[in-house]
Amino acid sequence: MQNMAPNSMVENMQQWFIQQDDLWLFRFGVEDYAVARQAAASCETFLVDDEDEHTDNSLLSCYNCMYRRWQPDSFHCHKSRVNNRKR
């Protein structure tokens, strides 16, 4: 995927996530595999997690991302924290 301008990256994230400070909460819970795969396919920073952490049979899924941190009903995406450290 091409590098996106900051505003277009936010617009892209808002399709699937709700912004909470510098984190993003996945809008679709813990079992919407099709949407989690679409979101991962559009993500320029997706990084597959260790195999023992996978919950989706498809590798390219936000549910299998190293930046995903589980919450009771969904997960937070921590990629913005990682991106901010790189600057």
Side-chain angles (χ1 to χ4, degrees), residues 14-77:
Q14 289 174 336
Q15 294 179 66
W16 298 287
F17 295 86
I18 300 166
Q19 191 167 12
Q20 296 180 329
D21 297 318
D22 63 339
L23 296 176
W24 294 90
L25 180 69
F26 190 60
R27 295 176 177 268
F28 301 94
V30 296
E31 295 185 1
D32 199 333
Y33 295 96
V35 175
R37 292 169 188 165
Q38 291 172 358
S42 74
C43 180
E44 64 184 33
T45 58
F46 174 82
L47 185 60
V48 69
D49 205 351
D50 294 331
E51 186 176 357
D52 61 332
E53 298 288 334
H54 293 181
T55 61
D56 190 342
N57 292 333
S58 174
L59 279 182
L60 188 60
S61 171
C62 286
Y63 294 144
N64 295 338
C65 184
M66 183 179 286
Y67 301 123
R68 174 252 319 117
R69 297 294 177 269
W70 293 112
Q71 300 300 306
D73 298 319
S74 189
F75 67 88
H76 279 128
C77 175

